[in-house]
Amino acid sequence: MTGVTICVGTVTAIKAVWEVRIKKHKEELQKEKTFNQKAAIGRLATASVWEDWITLAKLKEKVVTEDGRIILKVEKEEWKKLPSVLLKMTYLQEWQLHRIGLERIPHFIGQFDNLIVLDLARNAISHIPKEIGQLTKIRELLLSYNRIKMVPAELSNCLNLEKLELAANMHLSELPGELSSLKKLYHLDLSINQFTTFPSAILSMPALEWLDMGGNKLVKLPEEINRMEKLHTLWLQRNEITHLPSTISEMANLTTLVLSSNKLRTIPVCMEHMTNLRFVNFRDNLLEYEVTLPPCDSPEEEEERELFGREFMQYYIQEIKNRAAPPRHADST
């Protein structure tokens, strides 16, 4: 039997060749894997760019120009979150985004430094980012009918703000004291919220002319209410106010005062001197005295008459005076 002789050097050489081949194969597989990953990322990036382009084109279709102002108008569409591609439209001067289900104001809002009006009413916004304070040109901030619970102190940096509406946010109960720096604010709507006390910041807004705090839980008004010297319209309906401070009679510019559906038991006598007060409403209170107005001269006048208005106030105050006067004794004969 002839034996087979195997050279050790030959086996080692063959093994080395196969190891090189295996290593090379693995390297090729890794290169192919890396290539495929990069290609996939590239496809995703391309798809993302394409999607951004479509979104941007869609938003640009919503842009209109009115009175020389560039406005983004969107209503009754689904936009729970605003895309970052919107940053390519920082030239916008006004947003009107209504009933789109928007849940938050984006943090990049501060980069829209051309905004004059931000109207996001009737959405689902629960938070105002502090970046709102970077909108130094903004004049109107309209956020009624949302879910906002707190107003950031940074809003006080919007020194050109003239109109602020936060009605019907349901859980809003206070304003930061820093808002007293809003010296140009003339219109403020805080109705249908949870305020139990009158925000002190409001008393330091010298330009304020129109204020609505109806539908809250106010129990009283501050004695310093007369500090609002320019106020001409004050809505306080549907609160729990039990009395009025005498200083209210010092509000010389007040023309409209709505106090219906409160818990007032009397009317301050000093209010009879509020000659500029054109419209007042005391309907549905707990006033102590009953007052009957004299009949009108015609049915038309009767129809237009405000039963608990200014005329009622004057007669009620007269009734208070009559009851306070000492009784007259008949002269003895």
Side-chain angles (χ1 to χ4, degrees), residues 171-318:
H171 300 293
L172 189 62
S173 61
E174 59 182 15
L175 290 182
E178 290 85 350
L179 295 194
S180 60
S181 65
L182 300 178
K183 304 302 183 184
K184 294 184 179 181
L185 193 74
Y186 71 86
H187 176 109
L188 179 59
D189 191 348
L190 298 175
S191 60
I192 318 177
N193 282 299
Q194 297 294 318
F195 287 91
T196 56
T197 58
F198 199 90
S200 60
I202 297 178
L203 299 174
S204 299
M205 296 176 177
L208 198 62
E209 298 179 3
W210 191 99
L211 174 63
D212 190 347
M213 290 203 70
N216 279 281
K217 296 182 178 180
L218 298 176
V219 175
K220 63 178 181 178
L221 301 178
E223 292 291 333
E224 306 90 343
I225 196 168
N226 57 325
R227 287 173 56 188
M228 298 188 291
E229 296 179 357
K230 290 189 177 182
L231 199 72
H232 60 67
T233 300
L234 179 57
W235 297 80
L236 294 168
Q237 72 283 358
R238 288 179 283 110
N239 276 283
E240 299 174 16
I241 300 170
T242 56
H243 73 280
L244 300 175
S246 59
T247 47
I248 198 169
S249 64
E250 299 172 17
M251 302 178 73
N253 289 310
L254 196 64
T255 60
T256 299
L257 176 61
V258 182
L259 288 159
S260 53
S261 300
N262 275 281
K263 296 181 179 180
L264 293 172
R265 297 193 63 83
T266 190
I267 299 173
V269 173
C270 56
M271 289 185 69
E272 69 176 337
H273 302 300
M274 298 179 71
T275 55
N276 287 330
L277 195 60
R278 299 174 185 172
F279 180 85
V280 63
N281 192 334
F282 287 97
R283 184 183 295 274
D284 296 328
N285 274 280
L286 303 176
L287 295 172
E288 184 178 2
Y289 305 139
E290 289 188 9
V291 173
T292 302
L293 299 180
C296 293
D297 295 333
S298 67
E300 290 78 12
E301 289 182 10
E302 190 69 42
E303 186 175 344
E304 294 178 1
R305 186 182 227 174
E306 174 56 55
L307 295 180
F308 293 88
R310 178 172 172 76
E311 184 183 13
F312 170 84
M313 180 184 77
Q314 297 291 354
Y315 273 90
Y316 194 93
I317 290 173
Q318 188 59 50

Side-chain angles (χ1 to χ4, degrees), residues 9 19 36 65 75 99 234 268 286 332:
E19 286 178 347
N36 289 336
T65 300
E75 187 164 357
R99 294 185 176 91
L234 179 57
L286 303 176
S332 57

Side-chain angles (χ1 to χ4, degrees), residues 72-85:
L72 176 62
K73 280 189 175 185
V74 185
E75 187 164 357
K76 296 181 180 179
E77 294 185 8
E78 192 68 23
W79 292 85
K80 290 185 178 181
K81 181 181 178 182
L82 294 176
S84 58
V85 71

Side-chain angles (χ1 to χ4, degrees), residues 5-16:
T5 302
I6 301 176
C7 179
V8 175
T10 302
V11 172
T12 301
I14 293 172
K15 181 179 179 182

Side-chain angles (χ1 to χ4, degrees), residues 146-168:
N146 277 285
R147 301 172 185 173
I148 296 166
K149 298 179 181 179
M150 186 184 70
V151 177
E154 287 78 6
L155 183 60
S156 62
N157 296 325
C158 301
L159 299 180
N160 287 306
L161 193 63
E162 298 175 352
K163 188 174 183 178
L164 176 60
E165 294 191 350
L166 293 164

